[in-house]
Coordinates of all heavy atoms in Angstrom, one line a residue:
M117 N 10.9 26.2 -14.9 CA 10.4 25.1 -15.7 C 11.3 23.9 -15.5 O 12.6 24.1 -15.5 CB 10.3 25.6 -17.1 CG 9.1 26.4 -17.5 SD 8.9 26.7 -19.2 CE 10.2 27.9 -19.5
P118 N 10.8 22.7 -15.5 CA 11.7 21.5 -15.4 C 12.3 21.2 -16.7 O 12.0 21.6 -17.8 CB 10.7 20.5 -14.9 CG 9.3 20.9 -15.4 CD 9.4 22.4 -15.4
T119 N 13.4 20.3 -16.5 CA 14.1 19.8 -17.6 C 13.7 18.4 -17.9 O 13.6 17.6 -17.0 CB 15.6 19.8 -17.3 OG1 16.0 21.2 -17.0 CG2 16.4 19.3 -18.5
Y120 N 13.3 18.1 -19.1 CA 12.9 16.8 -19.5 C 13.9 16.2 -20.5 O 14.5 16.9 -21.3 CB 11.5 16.8 -20.2 CG 10.4 17.3 -19.3 CD1 10.0 18.7 -19.3 CD2 9.9 16.5 -18.3 CE1 9.0 19.1 -18.4 CE2 8.9 16.9 -17.4 CZ 8.5 18.3 -17.5 OH 7.5 18.7 -16.6
G121 N 14.0 14.9 -20.5 CA 14.9 14.2 -21.4 C 14.1 13.6 -22.6 O 13.0 13.1 -22.4
Y122 N 14.6 13.7 -23.8 CA 14.0 13.2 -25.0 C 15.0 12.4 -25.8 O 16.2 12.6 -25.6 CB 13.4 14.4 -25.9 CG 12.3 15.1 -25.2 CD1 12.6 16.2 -24.4 CD2 11.0 14.7 -25.3 CE1 11.5 16.8 -23.7 CE2 10.0 15.3 -24.7 CZ 10.2 16.4 -23.9 OH 9.2 17.1 -23.2
D123 N 14.5 11.6 -26.7 CA 15.4 10.8 -27.5 C 15.0 11.0 -29.0 O 13.9 10.8 -29.4 CB 15.3 9.3 -27.1 CG 16.2 8.4 -27.9 OD1 17.4 8.8 -28.0 OD2 15.7 7.4 -28.4
C124 N 16.0 11.3 -29.8 CA 15.9 11.4 -31.3 C 16.4 10.1 -31.9 O 17.4 9.6 -31.5 CB 16.7 12.6 -31.8 SG 16.7 12.7 -33.6
A125 N 15.6 9.6 -32.8 CA 16.0 8.3 -33.4 C 17.4 8.4 -34.2 O 18.1 7.4 -34.2 CB 14.9 7.8 -34.4
D126 N 17.7 9.6 -34.7 CA 18.9 9.7 -35.4 C 20.1 10.3 -34.6 O 21.2 9.8 -34.7 CB 18.7 10.7 -36.6 CG 17.7 10.1 -37.6 OD1 17.6 8.8 -37.7 OD2 16.9 10.9 -38.2
C127 N 19.8 11.3 -33.7 CA 20.9 12.0 -33.0 C 21.1 11.5 -31.6 O 22.2 11.8 -31.1 CB 20.6 13.5 -33.0 SG 20.2 14.2 -34.6
G128 N 20.2 10.9 -31.0 CA 20.3 10.4 -29.6 C 19.6 11.2 -28.6 O 18.7 12.0 -29.0
A129 N 20.0 11.1 -27.4 CA 19.3 11.8 -26.3 C 19.6 13.2 -26.2 O 20.7 13.6 -26.5 CB 19.6 11.1 -25.0
F130 N 18.6 14.0 -25.8 CA 18.9 15.5 -25.5 C 17.9 15.9 -24.4 O 16.9 15.3 -24.2 CB 18.7 16.3 -26.8 CG 17.3 16.2 -27.4 CD1 16.4 17.2 -27.1 CD2 17.0 15.2 -28.3 CE1 15.1 17.2 -27.7 CE2 15.7 15.2 -28.8 CZ 14.8 16.2 -28.5
D131 N 18.3 17.0 -23.7 CA 17.5 17.5 -22.7 C 16.9 18.8 -23.2 O 17.5 19.6 -24.0 CB 18.3 17.8 -21.4 CG 18.8 16.6 -20.8 OD1 18.1 15.5 -20.9 OD2 19.9 16.6 -20.1
L132 N 15.7 19.1 -22.6 CA 15.0 20.3 -23.0 C 14.2 20.9 -21.9 O 13.5 20.1 -21.1 CB 14.0 20.0 -24.2 CG 13.5 21.1 -25.0 CD1 14.6 21.9 -25.7 CD2 12.5 20.6 -26.1
V133 N 14.3 22.2 -21.6 CA 13.5 22.9 -20.6 C 12.2 23.3 -21.2 O 12.2 24.1 -22.2 CB 14.3 24.1 -20.0 CG1 13.5 24.8 -19.0 CG2 15.6 23.6 -19.5
R134 N 11.1 22.7 -20.7 CA 9.8 23.0 -21.2 C 8.8 23.2 -20.1 O 9.0 22.7 -19.0 CB 9.3 21.9 -22.1 CG 10.2 21.4 -23.1 CD 9.6 20.2 -23.9 NE 8.7 20.7 -24.9 CZ 8.0 19.9 -25.7 NH1 8.1 18.6 -25.6 NH2 7.2 20.5 -26.6
P135 N 7.7 23.8 -20.4 CA 6.6 23.9 -19.4 C 6.0 22.5 -19.1 O 6.1 21.6 -20.0 CB 5.5 24.8 -20.0 CG 6.2 25.5 -21.1 CD 7.3 24.6 -21.6
M136 N 5.5 22.2 -18.0 CA 5.0 20.9 -17.6 C 3.8 20.5 -18.5 O 3.6 19.3 -18.8 CB 4.5 20.9 -16.2 CG 5.7 21.0 -15.2 SD 5.1 21.1 -13.5 CE 4.7 19.5 -13.2
A137 N 3.1 21.5 -19.0 CA 1.9 21.1 -19.8 C 2.4 20.6 -21.2 O 1.6 19.8 -21.8 CB 1.1 22.4 -20.1
E138 N 3.6 20.9 -21.6 CA 4.1 20.4 -22.9 C 5.0 19.2 -22.8 O 5.6 18.8 -23.8 CB 4.8 21.5 -23.6 CG 3.9 22.7 -23.9 CD 4.7 23.9 -24.5 OE1 5.9 23.6 -24.9 OE2 4.2 25.0 -24.6
A139 N 5.2 18.7 -21.6 CA 6.2 17.6 -21.3 C 5.9 16.4 -22.1 O 6.8 15.7 -22.6 CB 6.3 17.3 -19.9
G140 N 4.6 16.0 -22.2 CA 4.3 14.7 -22.9 C 4.3 14.8 -24.4 O 4.4 13.7 -25.0
A141 N 4.3 15.9 -25.0 CA 4.3 16.1 -26.4 C 5.7 15.8 -27.0 O 6.7 16.1 -26.3 CB 3.8 17.5 -26.8
P142 N 5.8 15.3 -28.2 CA 7.1 15.1 -28.8 C 7.8 16.4 -28.9 O 7.2 17.4 -29.3 CB 6.8 14.5 -30.1 CG 5.5 13.9 -30.0 CD 4.7 14.7 -29.0
A143 N 9.1 16.4 -28.7 CA 9.9 17.7 -28.7 C 10.8 17.7 -30.0 O 11.3 16.6 -30.4 CB 10.8 17.8 -27.5
P144 N 11.0 18.8 -30.6 CA 11.8 18.9 -31.8 C 13.3 18.7 -31.4 O 13.8 19.4 -30.5 CB 11.5 20.2 -32.4 CG 11.0 21.0 -31.3 CD 10.3 20.1 -30.4
C145 N 14.0 17.9 -32.1 CA 15.4 17.6 -31.9 C 16.2 18.9 -32.2 O 16.0 19.5 -33.3 CB 15.9 16.4 -32.7 SG 17.7 16.2 -32.6
P146 N 17.1 19.3 -31.4 CA 17.9 20.5 -31.7 C 18.9 20.3 -32.9 O 19.3 21.2 -33.6 CB 18.7 20.8 -30.4 CG 18.7 19.6 -29.6 CD 17.4 18.8 -30.0
G147 N 19.2 19.0 -33.2 CA 20.1 18.7 -34.3 C 19.5 18.6 -35.6 O 19.9 19.2 -36.6
C148 N 18.4 17.9 -35.7 CA 17.8 17.6 -37.0 C 16.3 18.1 -37.1 O 15.7 18.2 -38.2 CB 17.8 16.1 -37.4 SG 16.8 15.1 -36.3
G149 N 15.7 18.4 -36.0 CA 14.3 19.0 -36.0 C 13.3 17.9 -36.0 O 12.1 18.2 -35.9
A150 N 13.7 16.6 -36.0 CA 12.7 15.5 -36.0 C 12.1 15.4 -34.6 O 12.7 15.8 -33.6 CB 13.4 14.2 -36.4
P151 N 10.8 15.0 -34.5 CA 10.2 14.9 -33.2 C 10.9 13.8 -32.4 O 11.1 12.7 -32.9 CB 8.8 14.6 -33.5 CG 8.7 14.1 -34.8 CD 9.9 14.7 -35.6
G152 N 11.3 14.1 -31.1 CA 11.9 13.1 -30.2 C 10.9 12.7 -29.2 O 10.1 13.5 -28.7
R153 N 11.0 11.4 -28.8 CA 10.0 10.9 -27.8 C 10.7 11.1 -26.4 O 11.9 11.1 -26.3 CB 9.7 9.5 -28.0 CG 10.8 8.5 -27.9 CD 10.4 7.1 -28.2 NE 11.5 6.2 -28.0 CZ 11.8 5.6 -26.8 NH1 11.1 5.9 -25.7 NH2 12.8 4.8 -26.7
R154 N 9.8 11.2 -25.4 CA 10.2 11.6 -24.1 C 10.9 10.3 -23.4 O 10.4 9.2 -23.6 CB 9.1 12.0 -23.2 CG 9.5 12.5 -21.9 CD 8.4 13.2 -21.1 NE 8.8 13.4 -19.7 CZ 8.0 13.5 -18.7 NH1 6.7 13.6 -18.9 NH2 8.5 13.7 -17.5
L155 N 12.0 10.6 -22.6 CA 12.6 9.6 -21.8 C 12.3 9.8 -20.4 O 12.2 11.0 -20.0 CB 14.1 9.6 -22.0 CG 14.7 9.4 -23.4 CD1 16.2 9.6 -23.4 CD2 14.4 7.9 -23.8
F156 N 12.1 8.8 -19.6 CA 11.8 8.9 -18.2 C 13.1 8.5 -17.4 O 13.6 7.4 -17.6 CB 10.6 8.1 -17.8 CG 9.4 8.6 -18.4 CD1 8.9 8.2 -19.6 CD2 8.7 9.6 -17.7 CE1 7.7 8.7 -20.2 CE2 7.5 10.1 -18.3 CZ 7.0 9.7 -19.5
G157 N 13.5 9.3 -16.5 CA 14.7 9.0 -15.7 C 14.5 9.5 -14.3 O 13.4 9.8 -13.9
A158 N 15.6 9.4 -13.6 CA 15.6 9.8 -12.2 C 15.4 11.4 -12.1 O 15.8 12.1 -13.0 CB 17.0 9.5 -11.5
P159 N 14.7 11.8 -11.0 CA 14.5 13.3 -10.9 C 15.8 14.0 -10.6 O 16.8 13.4 -10.1 CB 13.6 13.4 -9.7 CG 13.8 12.1 -8.9 CD 14.1 11.0 -10.0
A160 N 15.9 15.2 -11.0 CA 17.1 16.0 -10.8 C 17.1 16.5 -9.3 O 16.5 17.5 -8.9 CB 17.1 17.2 -11.7
L161 N 17.8 15.7 -8.5 CA 17.9 16.0 -7.0 C 18.7 17.3 -6.7 O 18.6 17.8 -5.6 CB 18.5 14.8 -6.3 CG 17.7 13.5 -6.4 CD1 18.4 12.4 -5.6 CD2 16.3 13.7 -5.8
R162 N 19.5 17.7 -7.6 CA 20.4 18.9 -7.3 C 19.6 20.2 -7.3 O 20.1 21.2 -6.9 CB 21.5 19.0 -8.4 CG 22.5 17.9 -8.2 CD 23.3 18.1 -6.9 NE 24.1 17.0 -6.7 CZ 24.7 16.7 -5.5 NH1 24.5 17.6 -4.5 NH2 25.4 15.7 -5.3
S163 N 18.3 20.1 -7.8 CA 17.5 21.4 -7.7 C 16.8 21.5 -6.4 O 16.0 22.4 -6.3 CB 16.6 21.4 -8.9 OG 15.6 20.3 -8.7
L164 N 17.1 20.6 -5.4 CA 16.4 20.7 -4.1 C 17.0 21.9 -3.3 O 18.0 22.4 -3.7 CB 16.5 19.4 -3.4 CG 15.8 18.2 -4.0 CD1 16.1 17.0 -3.2 CD2 14.3 18.5 -4.0
D165 N 16.5 22.1 -2.2 CA 17.0 23.0 -1.2 C 18.4 22.6 -0.8 O 18.7 21.4 -0.6 CB 16.1 23.0 0.0 CG 16.5 24.0 1.1 OD1 17.3 24.9 0.8 OD2 16.1 23.8 2.2
P166 N 19.4 23.5 -0.8 CA 20.8 23.2 -0.4 C 20.9 22.4 0.9 O 21.8 21.6 1.0 CB 21.5 24.5 -0.4 CG 20.7 25.4 -1.2 CD 19.3 24.9 -1.1
A167 N 20.1 22.7 1.9 CA 20.1 22.0 3.1 C 19.8 20.5 2.9 O 20.4 19.6 3.6 CB 19.2 22.6 4.1
V168 N 18.8 20.3 2.1 CA 18.4 18.9 1.8 C 19.4 18.1 1.1 O 19.8 17.0 1.4 CB 17.0 18.9 1.0 CG1 16.7 17.4 0.6 CG2 15.9 19.5 1.9
T169 N 20.0 18.7 0.1 CA 21.1 18.1 -0.7 C 22.3 17.8 0.2 O 23.0 16.8 0.1 CB 21.5 18.9 -1.9 OG1 21.9 20.2 -1.6 CG2 20.3 18.9 -2.9
G170 N 22.6 18.8 1.1 CA 23.7 18.6 2.0 C 23.5 17.4 3.0 O 24.4 16.7 3.2
A171 N 22.2 17.3 3.4 CA 21.9 16.1 4.3 C 22.0 14.8 3.5 O 22.5 13.8 4.1 CB 20.5 16.3 4.9
I172 N 21.6 14.8 2.3 CA 21.7 13.6 1.5 C 23.1 13.2 1.2 O 23.5 12.1 1.3 CB 20.9 13.8 0.1 CG1 19.4 13.8 0.4 CG2 21.2 12.6 -0.8 CD1 18.6 14.2 -0.8
D173 N 23.9 14.2 0.9 CA 25.4 14.0 0.6 C 26.1 13.5 1.9 O 26.9 12.6 1.8 CB 26.0 15.3 0.1 CG 25.6 15.6 -1.3 OD1 25.0 14.7 -2.0 OD2 25.8 16.8 -1.7
A174 N 25.7 14.1 3.0 CA 26.4 13.7 4.3 C 26.0 12.3 4.6 O 26.8 11.5 5.1 CB 26.0 14.6 5.4
S175 N 24.7 11.9 4.4 CA 24.3 10.6 4.7 C 25.0 9.5 3.8 O 25.4 8.5 4.2 CB 22.8 10.5 4.5 OG 22.3 9.2 4.6
A176 N 25.1 9.9 2.5 CA 25.8 9.0 1.6 C 27.3 8.8 1.9 O 27.9 7.8 1.8 CB 25.6 9.4 0.2
R177 N 27.9 10.0 2.3 CA 29.3 10.0 2.7 C 29.6 9.1 3.9 O 30.7 8.5 3.9 CB 29.8 11.4 2.8 CG 31.2 11.6 2.9 CD 31.6 13.1 3.0 NE 30.8 13.9 3.9 CZ 30.0 14.9 3.5 NH1 29.8 15.1 2.2 NH2 29.3 15.6 4.3
T178 N 28.7 9.1 4.9 CA 29.0 8.4 6.1 C 28.3 7.0 6.2 O 28.2 6.4 7.2 CB 28.6 9.2 7.3 OG1 27.2 9.5 7.2 CG2 29.4 10.5 7.4
A179 N 27.7 6.6 5.1 CA 26.9 5.3 5.1 C 27.8 4.1 5.4 O 27.5 3.3 6.2 CB 26.2 5.1 3.8
E180 N 29.0 4.1 4.8 CA 29.9 3.0 5.0 C 30.9 3.2 6.1 O 31.4 2.3 6.8 CB 30.7 2.7 3.7 CG 29.8 2.3 2.5 CD 29.0 1.0 2.8 OE1 29.6 0.1 3.4 OE2 27.9 0.9 2.4
A181 N 31.3 4.5 6.3 CA 32.3 4.8 7.4 C 31.8 6.0 8.1 O 32.0 7.1 7.7 CB 33.6 5.1 6.7
P182 N 31.2 5.8 9.3 CA 30.7 6.9 10.1 C 31.8 7.9 10.4 O 32.9 7.5 10.7 CB 30.1 6.2 11.3 CG 29.9 4.8 10.9 CD 30.9 4.5 9.9
G183 N 31.4 9.1 10.5 CA 32.4 10.2 10.9 C 32.8 10.0 12.4 O 32.0 9.6 13.2
V184 N 34.0 10.4 12.7 CA 34.5 10.3 14.0 C 34.5 11.7 14.7 O 35.0 12.6 14.1 CB 36.0 9.7 14.0 CG1 36.5 9.7 15.5 CG2 36.0 8.3 13.4
V185 N 33.9 11.8 15.8 CA 33.9 13.1 16.5 C 34.7 12.9 17.8 O 34.9 11.9 18.4 CB 32.5 13.5 16.9 CG1 31.6 13.7 15.6 CG2 31.8 12.4 17.8
D186 N 35.3 14.1 18.3 CA 36.1 14.1 19.5 C 35.4 14.8 20.7 O 35.9 14.8 21.7 CB 37.5 14.7 19.2 CG 37.4 16.1 18.7 OD1 36.3 16.6 18.5 OD2 38.4 16.7 18.6
R187 N 34.2 15.3 20.4 CA 33.4 15.9 21.5 C 31.9 15.9 21.1 O 31.6 15.7 20.0 CB 33.9 17.3 21.8 CG 33.6 18.3 20.6 CD 34.1 19.6 20.9 NE 35.6 19.6 20.7 CZ 36.3 20.5 20.2 NH1 35.8 21.7 19.9 NH2 37.6 20.4 20.1
L188 N 31.1 16.1 22.1 CA 29.7 16.2 21.9 C 29.3 17.5 21.2 O 30.0 18.5 21.4 CB 28.9 16.1 23.2 CG 29.1 14.7 24.0 CD1 28.4 14.8 25.4 CD2 28.4 13.6 23.2
P189 N 28.3 17.5 20.4 CA 27.8 18.7 19.9 C 27.4 19.7 20.9 O 26.8 19.3 22.0 CB 26.7 18.3 19.0 CG 26.4 16.9 19.3 CD 27.5 16.4 20.0
A190 N 27.7 21.0 20.7 CA 27.3 22.0 21.7 C 25.8 22.1 21.8 O 25.1 22.2 20.8 CB 27.9 23.4 21.3
S191 N 25.3 22.2 23.0 CA 23.9 22.4 23.2 C 23.6 23.8 23.4 O 24.2 24.5 24.2 CB 23.5 21.6 24.5 OG 22.1 21.8 24.8
R192 N 22.6 24.3 22.7 CA 22.3 25.7 22.8 C 21.3 26.1 23.9 O 21.3 27.1 24.5 CB 21.7 26.2 21.5 CG 22.7 26.2 20.4 CD 22.2 26.8 19.1 NE 23.1 26.7 18.1 CZ 22.8 26.5 16.8 NH1 21.6 26.5 16.4 NH2 23.8 26.3 15.9
R193 N 20.4 25.1 24.2 CA 19.4 25.3 25.2 C 19.4 24.2 26.2 O 19.4 23.1 25.9 CB 18.0 25.4 24.5 CG 16.9 25.9 25.4 CD 15.7 26.1 24.6 NE 15.1 24.8 24.4 CZ 14.0 24.5 23.7 NH1 13.4 25.5 23.1 NH2 13.5 23.3 23.6
R194 N 19.3 24.6 27.4 CA 19.3 23.7 28.5 C 17.8 23.3 28.8 O 17.0 24.2 29.0 CB 19.9 24.2 29.8 CG 21.0 23.4 30.3 CD 21.4 23.9 31.6 NE 21.5 22.8 32.5 CZ 22.7 22.4 32.9 NH1 23.8 23.1 32.6 NH2 22.8 21.4 33.7
T195 N 17.5 22.1 28.8 CA 16.2 21.6 29.1 C 16.0 21.3 30.5 O 16.8 20.6 31.1 CB 15.8 20.4 28.2 OG1 16.1 20.6 26.9 CG2 14.4 20.0 28.4
R196 N 15.0 21.9 31.1 CA 14.7 21.6 32.5 C 13.6 20.6 32.6 O 12.6 20.7 32.0 CB 14.3 22.9 33.3 CG 15.4 23.9 33.5 CD 14.9 25.0 34.3 NE 14.7 24.5 35.7 CZ 14.3 25.2 36.7 NH1 14.1 26.5 36.5 NH2 14.0 24.7 37.8
Y197 N 13.9 19.5 33.3 CA 13.0 18.4 33.4 C 12.1 18.5 34.6 O 11.1 17.8 34.7 CB 13.7 17.1 33.4 CG 14.5 16.9 32.2 CD1 15.9 17.1 32.1 CD2 13.8 16.5 31.0 CE1 16.6 16.9 31.0 CE2 14.5 16.3 29.8 CZ 15.9 16.5 29.8 OH 16.6 16.3 28.7
T198 N 12.4 19.4 35.6 CA 11.6 19.5 36.8 C 11.6 21.0 37.2 O 12.4 21.8 36.9 CB 12.3 18.6 37.9 OG1 11.5 18.8 39.1 CG2 13.7 19.0 38.2
A199 N 10.5 21.3 38.0 CA 10.4 22.6 38.5 C 10.7 22.7 40.0 O 10.6 23.7 40.6 CB 9.0 23.1 38.2
D200 N 11.0 21.6 40.6 CA 11.3 21.5 42.0 C 12.7 22.2 42.3 O 13.7 21.7 41.7 CB 11.3 20.0 42.5 CG 11.4 19.9 44.0 OD1 11.9 20.9 44.6 OD2 10.9 18.9 44.5
P201 N 12.7 23.2 43.1 CA 14.0 23.9 43.3 C 15.0 23.1 44.0 O 16.2 23.3 43.9 CB 13.6 25.1 44.1 CG 12.3 24.8 44.7 CD 11.6 23.9 43.8
R202 N 14.6 22.0 44.8 CA 15.6 21.2 45.5 C 16.4 20.4 44.5 O 17.6 20.0 44.7 CB 14.9 20.2 46.4 CG 14.2 20.9 47.6 CD 13.4 20.0 48.4 NE 12.3 19.4 47.6 CZ 11.5 18.4 48.0 NH1 11.6 17.9 49.2 NH2 10.6 18.0 47.2
H203 N 15.9 20.2 43.3 CA 16.7 19.4 42.3 C 17.9 20.2 41.8 O 18.8 19.6 41.3 CB 15.8 19.0 41.1 CG 14.7 18.0 41.5 ND1 13.7 17.7 40.8 CD2 14.6 17.2 42.7 CE1 12.9 16.8 41.3 NE2 13.5 16.5 42.5
L204 N 17.8 21.5 41.9 CA 19.0 22.3 41.5 C 20.2 22.1 42.4 O 21.3 22.4 42.0 CB 18.6 23.8 41.4 CG 17.5 24.2 40.4 CD1 17.1 25.6 40.6 CD2 18.1 23.9 39.0
R205 N 20.0 21.7 43.6 CA 21.1 21.5 44.5 C 21.7 20.1 44.4 O 22.7 19.8 45.0 CB 20.6 21.7 46.0 CG 20.3 23.1 46.3 CD 19.9 23.3 47.7 NE 18.5 22.9 47.8 CZ 17.8 22.6 48.9 NH1 18.5 22.7 50.0 NH2 16.6 22.3 48.9
L206 N 21.2 19.2 43.6 CA 21.7 17.9 43.4 C 23.1 18.0 42.6 O 23.3 19.0 41.9 CB 20.8 17.0 42.6 CG 19.5 16.7 43.3 CD1 18.5 15.9 42.4 CD2 19.8 15.8 44.5
P207 N 24.0 17.1 42.9 CA 25.3 17.1 42.2 C 25.1 16.9 40.7 O 24.2 16.2 40.3 CB 26.1 16.0 42.8 CG 25.1 15.1 43.5 CD 23.9 16.0 43.8
R208 N 25.9 17.6 40.0 CA 25.9 17.6 38.5 C 27.1 16.7 38.0 O 28.1 16.7 38.6 CB 26.1 19.0 37.9 CG 25.0 19.9 38.3 CD 23.8 19.7 37.5 NE 22.7 20.5 38.1 CZ 21.4 20.1 38.0 NH1 21.1 19.0 37.5 NH2 20.5 20.9 38.6
P209 N 26.9 16.0 37.0 CA 28.0 15.2 36.4 C 29.1 16.0 35.8 O 28.9 17.1 35.5 CB 27.3 14.3 35.3 CG 26.1 15.1 35.0 CD 25.7 15.9 36.2
Ligands
ZN117 ZN1 17.8 14.6 -34.3

């Protein structure tokens, strides 16, 4: 179930985990019990797949100062661009 933000007029903002079907209804404040109205904010990006959050973090970390590498990334698979066997005898860089 997702977490929604609500605002109590007396106690302030609070978060509540509720079913999506009940998200729009006023939520009882945990402090005073008065109904709190829903707040709309940014989505909780930390609940994404760890690979996605890692890519977002790496992108933000290197946005201003790109990372420095000292070698090319290792290639796991060699791609053959031609089937002509004479090309295999050509010099390699
Ligand atoms: Zn309250």
Side-chain angles (χ1 to χ4, degrees):
M117 283 190 284
T119 302
Y120 298 98
Y122 294 90
D123 182 47
C124 175
D126 297 329
C127 306
F130 62 95
D131 291 334
L132 197 61
V133 177
R134 309 179 82 181
M136 292 176 74
E138 301 175 10
C145 172
C148 65
R153 65 180 182 88
R154 184 169 171 204
L155 297 176
F156 293 91
L161 297 178
R162 289 293 169 191
S163 63
L164 294 175
D165 182 17
V168 174
T169 56
I172 292 171
D173 290 343
S175 175
R177 190 173 46 247
T178 60
E180 298 296 325
V184 178
V185 296
D186 59 352
R187 68 183 73 145
L188 294 173
S191 176
R192 293 188 184 144
R193 191 175 78 184
R194 237 189 133 111
T195 304
R196 289 188 65 180
Y197 297 103
T198 178
D200 190 336
R202 293 176 297 175
H203 292 167
L204 293 174
R205 289 182 281 160
L206 291 173
R208 301 282 172 210

